[in-house]
Amino acid sequence: MKINIDLLRELEQSIDIFHPEKGKIPIKMLGFGEISLVFKILDDSEHLAYKRIPIFDNEHQVKRHIWAYREYNKLLKERVGLNLPDYDVAWFKDQEGKIQFYCVQKKINSDSVGNRVIHVLKNDEIKTLVLLVMRELKKVWGFSKKNSVIDLGLDGQISNFAIINYDPNNPKVNLDTKLYYLDTSTPMIRVNGIEAMEAVLFLKSAPSFLRWLLKALFLEETVGRYYEWRKVTIDLIANFFKEQRPELIPSLIRLVNKFFREEAPEFEIEPITFEEVQKYYKSDKNIWVIFQSVRKFDRYLKTKVFKKKYDFYLPEKIKR
Ligand SMILES: Nc1ncnc2c1ncn2[C@@H]1O[C@H](COP(=O)(O)OP(=O)(O)O)[C@@H](O)[C@H]1O
Ligand SMILES: [Mg+2]
């Protein structure tokens, strides 16, 4: 994979964090999460997707993270058997000595990503897609179940999966469809119960004065839940509220419960209820709304009051 570090340096020097697409190096945003910003560089013949993660204070931290990232990707690909786009990382110290870090992946067709396709597929095909996602998840939890040392976590949201060989002109999903898993930048590996990644990094983008509070309130719950298949599944389904397809939720709950019963009985997972999904969705929504508004305030303080640089891109109102 050919990554042009000089171009990234130039990009960092000129990035307009309020309007990332208007900087000197032309980029197009492919997606953004609560912390990261995923973009492509226009006219990039390598067709790469860059995920910018501005959370590292020192070399030790970034190196440890890269180690965990590579381990995680390798395990998911070689031992678990998920399909991942080709990947790499890039990092450097910018002019001010600050660490800039990117996860880099082969760019896949944006139309093929789960949260897009659920707006064009037929309802039956969406159900098939969720079934296929459940089969990918079973590989992950099957691995952890067999392995007495390593536990893997995964973020099963529909926006983290994409359809391989997707044809936007003829969108289709059937039981033979293969999926990519995209969201590997937060390495969730526990070795004998100990987190390989510094979990605290996850909250690095929250303002410092509130970090301890968020940590106490949410960190165990937010990171821990990605290791539990049942919770990850609730998260996957609750996502359909956010993606504005709530009418599908009852049938998806029936589908995953049937899946647990028939395809994964050895995991002894209790059936999921609608009330649970709804309650979860409301509390999750609150966590992120608080998180984002606190960050907006922090950005205001840093840029307007203290005239300092702000590292993060903050999405405009995310529809939830
Ligand atoms: N390799 C890629 N090619 C094209 N788009 C991508 C790629 N990786 C991520 N994206 C887009 O960016 C979004 C966020 O990426 P993801 O890795 O899930 O990060 P986050 O941690 O922010 O959820 C994805 O839902 C997808 O739309
Ligand atoms: Mg994601």
Side-chain angles (χ1 to χ4, degrees), residues 30-31 33 36 38 49 51 105-108 113 159-160 182-183:
L30 300 172
S36 59
V38 183
K51 185 160 162 182
Q105 275 179 350
K106 271 279 169 207
K107 188 186 129 25
I108 51 126
V113 181
S159 60
N160 292 338
L182 302 177
D183 200 347

Side-chain angles (χ1 to χ4, degrees), residues 228-273:
E228 288 179 47
W229 193 7
R230 191 172 185 279
K231 288 188 177 163
V232 168
T233 305
I234 292 174
D235 190 43
L236 163 68
I237 298 174
N239 225 207
F240 283 77
F241 279 119
K242 179 175 161 193
E243 302 294 349
Q244 318 293 322
R245 299 296 316 261
E247 76 283 4
L248 293 171
I249 289 178
S251 61
L252 292 178
I253 292 176
R254 282 196 293 279
L255 179 127
V256 300
N257 285 338
K258 180 162 182 279
F259 176 88
F260 284 139
R261 211 167 53 235
E262 291 176 2
E263 295 194 34
E266 67 277 24
F267 291 85
E268 299 181 1
I269 291 175
E270 275 204 23
I272 291 168
T273 66

